[in-house]
Amino acid sequence: MTDETGPTLAPALEMRGITKRYPGVIANDGISLQVRPGEIHALLGENGAGKTTLMNVLYGLATPDEGEILLDGQPVAISGPADAIARGINMVHQHFMLVPVLSVAENILLGDETMANRIFLDRREARRRIVELGRRFGFEIDPDAKVGSLSVGWQQRVEILKALYRKARILVLDEPTAVLTPQETEEIFGVLRRLAGEGHSIVFISHKLYEVLEIADRITVIRRGRVVGERLPSATDEDDLAELMVGREVQLTVDRGVSHPAGPVLQIRGLEARDDRGQAAVRGVDLEVRAGEIFGIAGVAGNGQDELVEAIVGLRRPSAGTVSLAGQDVTGRSPRKMNEAGVAYVPADRHRFGLILSFPLADNLVLTSYYRKPYARGIVRDPKAILRDATTTIERYDIRTPAATVRASTLSGGNQQKAVVAREFDRDLELLVLDQPTRGLDVGSIEFIHRQVIAKRDAGTAVLLVSAELDEVLEMSDRIGVMFGGRIVAVLDGRTADKNEVGLLMATGGAERVAALAATSA
Ligand code: ATP
């Protein structure tokens, strides 16, 4: 496929001059993109740059105002997702698009309209094909395993298999590694390389620049709806890409300065909590976070981190143990009471807990204070005050939106996250609880949020930071607790902790260490 060694093939996919307008914003402004057969093409852009919109146009979910799409050099009109799939274009969604109670095979067959009436007839043949496809791309999968019992890395593979099963030639992966461990990411990259090797074309969307540099053959960068550059990984680096994306120089590492921890603010003793299925998820956690300190929790997703923070902020009733705030027992208090006591919470799942998507952005920015002054007097609300403060917040936090009055659902994913952060940070706090605060954010926004967190720490707030990004935990934290199997298995000094050691503790809970110690003392 290379230009030097042979005739240039027509691009597998070409988008020409795509323009898509929404009220008050041009989401795509004449974007052109060419993806060759067998190419992994990364699409980079800051939050709200228009990446998802462009892919929605490709998938027939949004109709462009201008421009055309060509497949193998032929112009096509894509009428909707079913049409896109029939033409060999597939979106590989993040794991939560799968149905957990169904098996791998059932999930793969689900929604495949050509199979709808034949599911039972062809089940054996389908399972055989699934196993074979998996092997071809380097993994063994049990087609009868329940998806809910698989790790997120395996769920991601099921999504890819689903696309391959439908004979996809062009695969779009929108932030596929957001919820994966570094190890799982490497494994998925192996699968992607094999796919490209067999001639599939891949559009890879990610905010992680080092990943893009590692996996992409070519990189297209868009900013505010326009293509601002194309790069080969060999001719660029993270700083260059960040600057191209954001339009200014970005500091990619955290300057955390010196912390001055004071007395304990959050004290947790023997805390236990169950997950949504009633299984023990937090199994006896003792933890203390002091004023003016960032306590980071490192761990592979699904080791009880989410349940722990939910039990702290009042969203989940602990089954045992106590939570104290500034010396006062607050175990089992409601989220509103915790909020009033000076606890802010940025949830991992912003759609479930962070925002009401059908409400205007302005209302979402006062979601935890709309019933108080200055937004309300008794039961009478003051929309003008809400709008005035929302406008200021939008400016200060650089939330990209045409107006404060648009529904939160129309914001790009990253800008929704910025809205949650803006609301939660914008007051004096005792305790700040952050669960994956920068997931889905672009490098400029991450830099901004990290600075805000450090400023809160310096103002004396106790910060509990949970993140699947090990680098984020290492760079931000004064102390690091490693969570494994519902327990904190080690607490380390954030400034001296070794990445490999933390990674090993995350993966094994320290069992190997314990075994090694036992072996040396024997
Ligand atoms: P992120 O990295 O944050 O996911 P993105 O690059 O995918 O960002 P898009 O979701 O494509 O960005 O959004 C581009 C712009 O289009 C944003 O300003 C967004 O608010 C706007 N937009 C997207 N969908 C709609 C919609 N259905 N109605 C109105 N505006 C929309």
Side-chain angles (χ1 to χ4, degrees):
M1 62 147 256
T2 54
D3 300 342
E4 298 80 23
T5 54
T8 312
L9 297 173
L13 164 69
E14 182 171 2
M15 301 181 84
R16 270 192 204 157
I18 302 289
T19 294
K20 176 70 191 172
R21 299 185 191 92
Y22 287 114
V25 14
I26 307 181
N28 288 171
D29 190 359
I31 294 188
S32 294
L33 181 76
Q34 287 191 351
V35 188
R36 298 168 195 169
E39 180 181 56
I40 303 181
H41 195 117
L43 191 57
L44 266 181
E46 60 184 335
N47 295 128
K51 305 174 293 289
T52 307
T53 302
L54 188 69
M55 292 304 112
N56 284 343
V57 166
L58 175 63
Y59 212 44
L61 285 167
T63 314
D65 298 306
E66 284 159 41
E68 58 176 349
I69 300 175
L70 296 89
L71 295 177
D72 299 321
Q74 299 299 315
V76 292
I78 297 168
S79 60
D83 187 25
I85 291 168
R87 293 175 189 276
I89 303 168
N90 248 271
M91 298 271 172
V92 177
H93 296 285
Q94 288 184 3
H95 63 104
F96 37 75
M97 298 294 285
L98 298 169
V99 185
V101 293
L102 296 183
S103 73
V104 169
E106 286 163 337
N107 266 284
I108 289 176
L109 296 176
L110 195 74
D112 180 349
E113 275 139 33
T114 62
M115 291 294 296
N117 302 318
R118 298 188 290 142
I119 281 186
F120 296 102
L121 281 178
D122 287 355
R123 196 172 266 226
R124 184 180 298 188
E125 166 61 12
R127 287 163 62 216
R128 196 192 57 73
R129 263 190 70 202
I130 289 166
V131 173
E132 189 188 292
L133 270 176
R135 283 208 190 115
R136 197 160 116 212
F137 293 102
F139 51 93
E140 296 274 340
I141 196 152
D142 172 7
D144 297 319
K146 291 268 174 292
V147 160
S149 70
L150 300 177
S151 70
V152 285
W154 277 95
Q155 294 188 16
Q156 188 71 255
R157 286 184 187 77
V158 175
E159 279 284 4
I160 292 176
L161 272 183
K162 189 169 178 173
L164 296 174
Y165 193 88
R166 295 163 162 184
K167 302 203 164 58
R169 294 181 310 120
I170 298 165
L171 282 92
V172 178
L173 293 101
D174 195 349
E175 292 194 57
T177 63
V179 289
L180 302 186
T181 63
Q183 172 70 14
E184 286 172 328
T185 299
E186 276 310 314
E187 286 165 14
I188 288 291
F189 280 5
V191 175
L192 297 186
R193 288 194 186 100
R194 279 182 193 227
L195 284 167
E198 292 215 2
H200 291 84
S201 302
I202 295 168
V203 179
F204 182 86
I205 301 177
S206 172
H207 287 294
K208 298 182 190 171
L209 304 178
Y210 57 91
E211 281 186 356
V212 166
L213 287 169
E214 183 187 334
I215 191 75
D217 296 311
R218 248 176 344 140
I219 305 164
T220 294
V221 183
I222 59 176
R223 189 190 326 141
R224 298 190 183 236
R226 293 196 178 160
V227 173
V228 290
E230 199 183 277
R231 295 282 191 271
L232 293 174
S234 54
T236 183
D237 58 23
E238 288 191 42
D239 290 321
D240 174 46
L241 290 174
E243 189 165 344
L244 201 55
M245 269 171 72
V246 181
R248 64 173 170 86
E249 219 176 292
V250 179
Q251 197 185 335
L252 293 169
T253 47
V254 181
D255 182 7
R256 63 176 147 188
V258 184
S259 63
H260 301 284
V265 172
L266 175 70
Q267 284 174 299
I268 296 174
R269 294 279 170 266
L271 196 73
E272 293 179 21
R274 296 182 182 281
D275 65 17
D276 292 339
R277 287 178 290 182
Q279 306 290 323
V282 179
R283 300 157 179 256
V285 165
D286 295 320
L287 184 74
E288 199 171 273
V289 188
R290 290 170 285 182
E293 121 174 298
I294 300 176
F295 189 98
I297 294 191
V300 175
N303 274 281
Q305 301 94 315
D306 291 349
E307 289 82 2
L308 173 66
V309 295
E310 286 168 25
I312 294 170
V313 301
L315 280 164
R316 188 173 293 270
R317 188 162 279 281
S319 39
T322 56
V323 178
S324 313
L325 190 70
Q328 213 184 1
D329 187 347
V330 292
T331 319
R333 279 210 192 157
S334 71
R336 185 188 279 199
K337 285 254 156 60
M338 292 301 279
N339 183 276
E340 285 171 355
V343 178
Y345 170 50
V346 176
D349 185 346
R350 55 185 168 254
H351 290 172
R352 212 166 130 211
F353 295 128
L355 295 168
I356 301 179
L357 292 173
S358 57
F359 278 21
L361 171 61
D363 289 5
N364 272 287
L365 289 172
V366 296
L367 218 50
T368 50
S369 53
Y370 65 90
Y371 55 89
R372 292 198 295 255
K373 278 186 193 168
Y375 307 124
R377 263 170 222 278
I379 56 162
V380 184
R381 288 177 66 192
D382 181 354
K384 272 202 194 123
I386 293 177
L387 205 58
R388 186 192 58 228
D389 282 7
T391 310
T392 320
T393 310
I394 287 166
E395 243 176 66
R396 275 202 10 189
Y397 286 82
D398 191 22
I399 301 170
R400 300 282 166 82
T401 175
T405 46
V406 303
R407 287 175 184 215
S409 60
T410 69
L411 264 63
S412 78
N415 281 294
Q416 290 176 353
Q417 178 72 350
K418 283 204 257 177
V420 176
V421 167
R423 179 187 68 214
E424 297 297 321
F425 278 44
D426 224 13
R427 63 196 172 106
D428 289 336
L429 297 173
E430 290 281 329
L431 172 68
L432 177 56
V433 180
L434 305 166
D435 196 357
Q436 319 296 348
T438 58
R439 182 180 283 171
L441 291 189
D442 66 50
V443 282
S445 307
I446 292 175
E447 176 196 39
F448 178 78
I449 285 174
H450 283 167
R451 285 196 181 144
Q452 300 293 318
V453 174
I454 304 263
K456 280 286 176 213
R457 178 202 73 185
D458 291 345
T461 302
V463 182
L464 182 65
L465 164 72
V466 176
S467 175
E469 288 295 326
L470 183 50
D471 285 329
E472 178 167 56
V473 174
L474 287 166
E475 285 182 20
M476 295 287 291
S477 310
D478 297 301
R479 288 189 299 148
I480 297 173
V482 182
M483 199 154 176
F484 182 86
R487 297 189 175 90
I488 305 274
V489 293
V491 176
L492 310 163
D493 183 326
R495 281 163 209 268
T496 55
D498 172 67
K499 187 172 179 179
N500 289 331
E501 189 188 357
V502 179
L504 195 64
L505 284 165
M506 281 167 63
T508 65
E512 285 182 9
R513 233 174 154 208
V514 175
L517 283 175
T520 45
S521 60

